[in-house]
Amino acid sequence: MARGLAGNPAAPADVLLRLLDDHAEAVPAAFRRRADLPPAVVAGAMRHPSARVRGALAANPHIDPALRLGLLDDPERRVVEFVRADPDLALPDRAFTPSLDRLVEQFRRGIMTPAELRGEVIELAWRDRRAVRVVATHPEPLVRAAAVGLLGGPDEASRDELRQALLHDDVPEVRAATAHFYAERERAQEPADLPANGYAYRGLLSELPLSPALIEYVLAAEDGREGVDAMATNPALPPEVVEALFDHPSADVRRSLAGRDDLTGAQLARLAADPDASVRTAASVHPALTEEERAAIDIDVTTAPFDPRIDLCWHVRGTVSREPLPPPAESVRLATSVNPLLRRRAAADPRLPAGFVTALSDDADPGVRALVAHHHPAAPPELLLRVFREQGNRRCDRGGLQALPNFPTAGLARFADDQDPAVRRLVARDPEADPALVDRLTRDPDAAVRQAMAACPRLPVDRIVDLLDDVELAGSTARNPALPVDAMRERLASSAPSQGKR
């Protein structure tokens, strides 16, 4: 019950402070998300002895950023990590300096080798690109030298800034490591240069100049399909090798060829007529094709290669990397493409003009509709509801749609008998839902539906109070904003420990 009260928007400050005193273990889950915590409660949580409570505020994006940044000095590393985990928070250097200093200290004590230190530094900066500048300016030369391994990652402007800083470093070893990095990227790689690591292996074959010996080695390898797959995208691959790969037996290799920018019209035509649907589909989004040529290709969007711009579940989960958006005119152009995968790219652009949003909201492709719903602030309410219902059997998370301001509330009571329990739960959001209907659904066969109705403010007050004694529904009922405040205080008083009361 205490966990439910911690998330109840109607719980007054004295109830929340009582929870901090007597039931601190029940607070973090709710405090991590709440946007309406009273100032006195925030202050109490900030100085609370429990690292889990302080960590909840560190992770809450609604808390004043200045207060959250103050938690960078917290003695508990996990609290600091919660602050650093917010990609939208402008972090000062001191957010990363302690972690780098710990690595340097371990190196100086002989716990790790220079190579291990370099690997740890690179991993830290790859996890959070905001750390790159701190790495490049760290007092320890070995840390700055590790920044060389990050030169392939940032955007062009940041990369040039980092390159200049390293090339003009005060320490010769750092300058030499930087010069060596660029020299290696210009040198034709040999078979002996192939790393064992799979990502590095593919990166070398797809990005760096390759010697004839290395190309022959990869083509001749007994289990070399993955190597050929990566090599097929290399822009420096000789034209005759590229041409030969169009006859490769692996569809993965031929599909990789579709990502090349230098394909001739004849080569694109071959890929567009490939017997494998995934190859044809990959070719169908090539920028050199006309819309008429795209329309003639027989594609299957379910075979599309992974692309964070068009992969539906990747976008919906919200884990897509923060790639720069295309120019607005490009998204407008793609919005009218005959190819649904290109329309998906447009649909994921929140800047798309309203007229195109209206058109894409009724697109024949469910992926286009879903991406508009999840990404565009002007997505109409009827689209949000439609996508919510359509995604019932998808792995993609549809729960975030309900948090969008345009998600409808009126008329949802009509779904009380829908076969999908998640749709039946929407009844609790309808401000006009009949209290008797809400009460009936507290006895629904699905536990999540019962819990949603127990937290619905349209539930009769006497039923709300009664459900506080229901073992299964007490927590959900305690979140109900219609729960009388006197009942909150009474239940807290009766459940308080014998000592430590406020």
Side-chain angles (χ1 to χ4, degrees):
M1 184 190 69
R3 287 183 174 84
L5 287 177
N8 192 320
D14 67 285
V15 169
L16 298 177
L17 289 170
R18 188 67 175 268
L19 287 169
L20 281 175
D21 274 359
D22 297 342
H23 301 280
E25 76 287 346
V27 162
F31 279 24
R32 192 174 293 119
R33 300 185 298 271
R34 287 191 60 161
D36 58 349
L37 289 174
V41 176
V42 172
M46 282 285 181
R47 60 175 181 264
H48 199 278
S50 168
R52 292 186 65 240
V53 172
R54 301 194 306 276
L57 266 62
N60 188 330
H62 305 292
I63 300 297
D64 182 351
L67 294 177
R68 295 173 68 201
L69 291 175
L71 291 171
L72 288 172
D73 300 318
D74 196 277
E76 285 284 343
R77 286 179 61 182
R78 56 180 168 168
V79 175
V80 176
E81 290 300 322
F82 276 127
V83 180
R84 283 175 32 176
D86 186 344
D88 295 320
L89 201 58
L91 298 178
D93 290 358
R94 63 189 178 92
F96 304 101
T97 302
S99 297
L100 294 171
D101 289 347
R102 277 192 295 271
L103 294 174
V104 171
E105 179 62 23
Q106 292 173 358
F107 164 71
R108 290 174 178 166
R109 290 167 53 197
I111 296 177
M112 63 174 60
T113 66
E116 290 170 335
L117 171 62
R118 178 179 182 276
E120 291 289 338
V121 170
I122 290 175
E123 182 180 353
L124 184 152
W126 273 111
R127 286 199 307 266
D128 194 326
R129 304 301 298 175
R130 292 170 296 182
V132 172
R133 187 177 64 84
V134 186
V135 170
T137 58
H138 194 275
E140 170 56 52
L142 284 174
V143 172
R144 299 201 302 277
V148 172
L150 305 169
L151 284 166
D155 60 83
E156 187 173 348
S158 300
R159 183 166 57 246
D160 185 63
E161 180 182 356
L162 177 59
R163 175 177 179 269
Q164 293 302 321
L166 296 176
L167 284 173
H168 295 89
D169 195 275
D170 293 336
V171 177
E173 288 78 7
V174 177
R175 299 197 300 270
T178 308
H180 178 73
F181 171 85
Y182 283 103
E184 281 296 289
R185 293 188 71 83
E186 296 176 1
R187 178 181 65 83
Q189 304 294 299
E190 301 290 344
D193 296 315
L194 281 172
N197 178 278
Y199 290 107
Y201 177 91
R202 290 180 61 84
L204 182 151
L205 291 177
S206 63
E207 299 171 6
L208 301 184
L210 309 178
S211 69
L214 179 52
I215 294 172
E216 182 179 353
Y217 173 83
V218 174
L219 291 173
E222 181 178 350
D223 188 22
R225 182 208 55 79
E226 183 174 354
V228 181
D229 176 18
M231 189 172 68
T233 65
N234 192 313
L237 201 63
E240 65 274 12
V241 178
V242 173
E243 181 64 29
L245 292 180
F246 281 85
D247 294 320
H248 198 281
S250 170
D252 290 341
V253 172
R254 303 195 305 276
R255 185 170 61 242
S256 292
L257 289 170
R260 298 185 63 90
D261 293 330
D262 58 355
L263 297 178
T264 67
Q267 289 172 334
L268 265 175
R270 288 185 64 181
L271 294 176
D274 194 277
D276 188 279
S278 69
V279 177
R280 299 193 303 271
T281 303
S284 72
V285 299
H286 198 280
L289 292 174
T290 66
E291 286 298 293
E292 291 75 18
E293 289 169 333
R294 287 189 218 287
I297 302 175
D298 180 19
I299 67 172
D300 179 354
V301 294
T302 65
T303 69
F306 172 76
D307 180 342
R309 295 169 299 180
I310 60 178
D311 184 88
L312 177 58
C313 288
W314 189 258
H315 272 284
V316 170
R317 285 195 300 266
T319 54
V320 62
S321 61
R322 293 170 176 262
E323 298 180 347
L325 289 169
E330 174 72 1
S331 292
V332 167
R333 183 182 67 82
L334 297 179
T336 59
S337 174
V338 297
N339 188 291
L341 297 177
L342 294 181
R343 296 198 303 276
R344 287 187 187 185
R345 295 183 188 178
D349 189 338
R351 306 163 304 174
L352 203 63
F356 292 96
V357 173
T358 300
L360 294 181
S361 294
D362 198 34
D363 196 275
D365 177 62
V368 171
R369 298 195 299 270
L371 287 170
V372 171
H374 281 276
H375 286 275
H376 207 283
E382 58 272 17
L383 172 66
L384 300 182
L385 179 60
R386 178 182 181 182
V387 170
F388 183 90
R389 300 190 69 190
E390 288 178 341
Q391 288 187 309
N393 295 321
R394 296 178 182 270
R395 293 177 298 160
C396 307
D397 177 22
R398 63 183 181 176
L401 290 171
Q402 296 179 76
L404 298 176
N406 283 355
F407 196 90
T409 56
L412 297 180
R414 70 184 186 275
F415 297 119
D417 297 309
D418 195 277
Q419 293 184 351
D420 185 345
V423 176
R424 295 202 299 278
R425 291 201 301 270
L426 295 178
V427 173
R429 299 172 57 91
D430 190 338
E432 302 298 328
D434 188 332
L437 174 62
V438 177
D439 189 2
R440 171 169 74 83
L441 289 176
T442 60
R443 302 171 180 84
D444 191 271
D446 183 83
V449 174
R450 297 194 296 272
Q451 292 162 4
M453 300 307 142
C456 177
R458 263 77 63 199
L459 189 65
V461 172
D462 57 348
R463 176 66 169 158
I464 295 173
V465 175
D466 288 345
L467 286 179
L468 286 175
D469 296 317
D470 186 301
V471 175
E472 178 197 45
L473 299 180
S476 300
T477 305
R479 290 198 304 273
N480 196 318
L483 177 65
V485 173
D486 288 345
M488 298 182 195
R489 294 179 176 132
E490 178 184 343
R491 294 298 176 124
L492 275 180
S494 65
S495 64
S498 58
Q499 296 180 353
K501 296 182 181 179
R502 178 170 291 279

